[in-house]
Amino acid sequence: MQNYFTPDIETASRDYLTAIQSARLIKMVENCYKHVPFYKQKFDEIGLLPGDIKSIADITKLPFTIKQDLRDNYPFGLFAVPKEKLVRVHASSGTTGKQTVVGYTKHDISIWSESAARALAAAGATQGDYIHISYGYGLFTGGLGLHYAAEKLGATAIPVSSGNTNRQMQILQDFGSDIICCTPSYAMYIGESLKAAGIDSAKLPLRAGIFGAEAWSENMRKEIEKSLNIKAYDIYGLSEIAGPGVAFECSEQKGMHINEDYFYPEIIDPDTLEVLPDGVFGELVFTCIGKEALPLVRYRTHDISALTHEKCGCGRTLVKMLKPKGRCDDMLIIRGVNVFPSQIEHVILSLGMEPNYQIVVDRKNNLDVMTVKIEMSDALFSDSVRVIEEQEKRIKDAMHATLGISAIIKLVEPRSLPRSEGKAVRVIDNRHI
């Protein structure tokens, strides 16, 4: 039996969802035109008036928004409500330029919490559960996003935040946490730490985990499920749109259902900007049709995904996005070949290695050189140099077969690569330094 949080929306007919989307888009465009000078100027430049938007089908008439637009209007220039109507402000943890600042009204917090509560319910969470939240709290949206979702669901939130892994393990045992929420790389680290401490994860009440905020592969899902003895679910979000809960996996785990009554998705060709049909991978774009404070219009996420309206076995009718293949801005171009870190991770895990790795890209004699450092298991580390060299060659051959280019493979000592309690730093690109 499926566990829904809002069945009237999650199982609604396409006509009903379209009617909701159309009404909310019309209201949003008028709000943007009246209250956000940036959007009024953009609409005026293309000769578009709010009255030109009569249904969701007219969304392609609207201009795109990019992250730089938020930075150019830092901190509050894209807000559509007076500052006194805001109840919370978050900001991205961007590594370049100014942070992107996002704001929420009381209504915005409510719909965000509802969206993320749907994700919890889809993972089997109920009012009687203890939700162990190991995402970071603060300006990052992860911790508070799942925290409010747990409370919205009526479950008990345990605001552990990230870090202090010994305390995490103690709470998992003593509080009887049922569901854990964190980044997949930190979930792996907690699993490693439990094993090192001699704690049998099978004896913990923990039964499910909701992981997001960074790319992870199906092989990594299997590793996490084995390590923590749970079922692992994917969740998608980004601070500019809301935070975790924009989309979520159900029990079928064949893509993530998008909360399209609040966040309308499109897939575009990143070069031509034309909208692509179902099943075709391109850049994911969202329009915040339900938000008041920061109603972004056709925001380009840089995530590469595809949409599908195929019937889902869970009964939900919400459109699904396929697991992102990567990000346009995370994509590496090595000697003319597009390479995603997720492809490298897939190779590593398919060969039985643990997903602790780092990609280093350099330019030597005007030639791109990619080195992949991978931690050895304790057993492999104790083997002879010849065995280690043979393993490196095996990985190199598999990497070449998958990527179409060669890479230098370096097997390094166990636990020698830096661990992350947030987003793992997988790529060091020295070509830009």
CSV table of all heavy atoms in Angstrom, one decimal, residues 105-125:
chain,number,residue,atom,x,y,z
A,105,THR,N,8.3,33.6,2.2
A,105,THR,CA,7.2,34.0,3.0
A,105,THR,C,6.7,32.8,3.9
A,105,THR,O,7.1,31.7,3.7
A,105,THR,CB,6.0,34.6,2.2
A,105,THR,OG1,5.5,33.5,1.4
A,105,THR,CG2,6.5,35.7,1.3
A,106,LYS,N,5.7,33.1,4.7
A,106,LYS,CA,5.1,32.0,5.5
A,106,LYS,C,4.5,31.0,4.6
A,106,LYS,O,4.6,29.8,4.8
A,106,LYS,CB,4.1,32.6,6.5
A,106,LYS,CG,3.5,31.5,7.4
A,106,LYS,CD,2.6,32.2,8.4
A,106,LYS,CE,2.0,31.1,9.4
A,106,LYS,NZ,1.1,31.8,10.4
A,107,HIS,N,3.9,31.5,3.5
A,107,HIS,CA,3.3,30.6,2.5
A,107,HIS,C,4.3,29.7,1.8
A,107,HIS,O,4.1,28.5,1.6
A,107,HIS,CB,2.5,31.4,1.5
A,107,HIS,CG,2.1,30.7,0.2
A,107,HIS,ND1,1.1,29.8,0.2
A,107,HIS,CD2,2.7,30.6,-1.0
A,107,HIS,CE1,1.0,29.3,-1.0
A,107,HIS,NE2,1.9,29.8,-1.8
A,108,ASP,N,5.5,30.3,1.5
A,108,ASP,CA,6.5,29.6,0.8
A,108,ASP,C,7.1,28.5,1.6
A,108,ASP,O,7.4,27.4,1.2
A,108,ASP,CB,7.7,30.6,0.4
A,108,ASP,CG,7.3,31.6,-0.6
A,108,ASP,OD1,6.3,31.4,-1.4
A,108,ASP,OD2,7.9,32.7,-0.7
A,109,ILE,N,7.3,28.8,2.9
A,109,ILE,CA,7.8,27.7,3.9
A,109,ILE,C,6.8,26.6,3.9
A,109,ILE,O,7.2,25.4,3.9
A,109,ILE,CB,8.0,28.3,5.3
A,109,ILE,CG1,9.1,29.3,5.3
A,109,ILE,CG2,8.3,27.2,6.3
A,109,ILE,CD1,10.5,28.7,5.0
A,110,SER,N,5.5,26.9,3.9
A,110,SER,CA,4.4,25.9,4.0
A,110,SER,C,4.5,25.0,2.8
A,110,SER,O,4.4,23.7,2.9
A,110,SER,CB,3.1,26.5,4.1
A,110,SER,OG,2.0,25.6,4.1
A,111,ILE,N,4.6,25.5,1.5
A,111,ILE,CA,4.6,24.7,0.3
A,111,ILE,C,5.9,23.9,0.2
A,111,ILE,O,5.9,22.8,-0.3
A,111,ILE,CB,4.3,25.5,-0.9
A,111,ILE,CG1,5.4,26.5,-1.3
A,111,ILE,CG2,2.9,26.2,-0.8
A,111,ILE,CD1,5.2,27.1,-2.7
A,112,TRP,N,7.0,24.5,0.6
A,112,TRP,CA,8.2,23.8,0.6
A,112,TRP,C,8.2,22.6,1.6
A,112,TRP,O,8.6,21.5,1.3
A,112,TRP,CB,9.4,24.7,1.0
A,112,TRP,CG,10.7,24.1,1.1
A,112,TRP,CD1,11.2,23.0,0.5
A,112,TRP,CD2,11.9,24.7,1.8
A,112,TRP,NE1,12.5,22.7,0.8
A,112,TRP,CE2,13.0,23.8,1.6
A,112,TRP,CE3,12.1,25.8,2.5
A,112,TRP,CZ2,14.2,24.0,2.2
A,112,TRP,CZ3,13.3,26.1,3.1
A,112,TRP,CH2,14.4,25.2,2.9
A,113,SER,N,7.7,22.8,2.8
A,113,SER,CA,7.5,21.8,3.8
A,113,SER,C,6.6,20.7,3.3
A,113,SER,O,6.9,19.5,3.5
A,113,SER,CB,7.0,22.3,5.1
A,113,SER,OG,7.8,23.4,5.6
A,114,GLU,N,5.5,21.1,2.6
A,114,GLU,CA,4.6,20.1,2.1
A,114,GLU,C,5.3,19.2,1.0
A,114,GLU,O,5.1,18.0,0.9
A,114,GLU,CB,3.4,20.8,1.5
A,114,GLU,CG,2.4,19.8,0.8
A,114,GLU,CD,1.3,20.6,0.1
A,114,GLU,OE1,0.7,21.5,0.7
A,114,GLU,OE2,1.0,20.2,-1.1
A,115,SER,N,6.0,19.9,0.1
A,115,SER,CA,6.7,19.2,-1.0
A,115,SER,C,7.7,18.2,-0.4
A,115,SER,O,7.8,17.0,-0.9
A,115,SER,CB,7.5,20.2,-1.8
A,115,SER,OG,6.6,21.1,-2.5
A,116,ALA,N,8.5,18.6,0.6
A,116,ALA,CA,9.5,17.7,1.2
A,116,ALA,C,8.8,16.6,2.0
A,116,ALA,O,9.3,15.5,2.1
A,116,ALA,CB,10.5,18.4,2.0
A,117,ALA,N,7.6,16.9,2.6
A,117,ALA,CA,6.9,15.9,3.4
A,117,ALA,C,6.4,14.8,2.4
A,117,ALA,O,6.3,13.6,2.8
A,117,ALA,CB,5.7,16.5,4.1
A,118,ARG,N,6.1,15.2,1.2
A,118,ARG,CA,5.7,14.1,0.2
A,118,ARG,C,6.8,13.2,0.0
A,118,ARG,O,6.6,12.0,-0.2
A,118,ARG,CB,5.3,14.8,-1.1
A,118,ARG,CG,4.0,15.7,-1.1
A,118,ARG,CD,3.8,16.4,-2.4
A,118,ARG,NE,2.7,17.3,-2.3
A,118,ARG,CZ,2.3,18.1,-3.3
A,118,ARG,NH1,3.0,18.1,-4.5
A,118,ARG,NH2,1.3,19.0,-3.2
A,119,ALA,N,8.1,13.7,0.0
A,119,ALA,CA,9.2,12.9,-0.2
A,119,ALA,C,9.4,11.9,1.0
A,119,ALA,O,9.7,10.7,0.8
A,119,ALA,CB,10.5,13.7,-0.4
A,120,LEU,N,9.2,12.4,2.2
A,120,LEU,CA,9.3,11.5,3.3
A,120,LEU,C,8.3,10.4,3.3
A,120,LEU,O,8.6,9.2,3.5
A,120,LEU,CB,9.1,12.3,4.6
A,120,LEU,CG,10.3,13.2,5.0
A,120,LEU,CD1,9.9,14.1,6.2
A,120,LEU,CD2,11.5,12.4,5.4
A,121,ALA,N,7.0,10.8,2.9
A,121,ALA,CA,5.9,9.8,2.9
A,121,ALA,C,6.2,8.8,1.8
A,121,ALA,O,6.0,7.6,2.0
A,121,ALA,CB,4.6,10.5,2.6
A,122,ALA,N,6.8,9.2,0.7
A,122,ALA,CA,7.1,8.3,-0.4
A,122,ALA,C,8.1,7.3,0.0
A,122,ALA,O,8.2,6.2,-0.6
A,122,ALA,CB,7.5,9.1,-1.7
A,123,ALA,N,9.0,7.7,0.9
A,123,ALA,CA,10.0,6.7,1.4
A,123,ALA,C,9.5,5.9,2.6
A,123,ALA,O,10.3,5.1,3.2
A,123,ALA,CB,11.2,7.5,1.9
A,124,GLY,N,8.2,6.0,2.9
A,124,GLY,CA,7.6,5.2,3.9
A,124,GLY,C,7.5,5.8,5.3
A,124,GLY,O,7.1,5.1,6.2
A,125,ALA,N,7.9,7.1,5.4
A,125,ALA,CA,7.8,7.7,6.7
A,125,ALA,C,6.4,7.9,7.2
A,125,ALA,O,5.5,8.2,6.4
A,125,ALA,CB,8.5,9.0,6.7
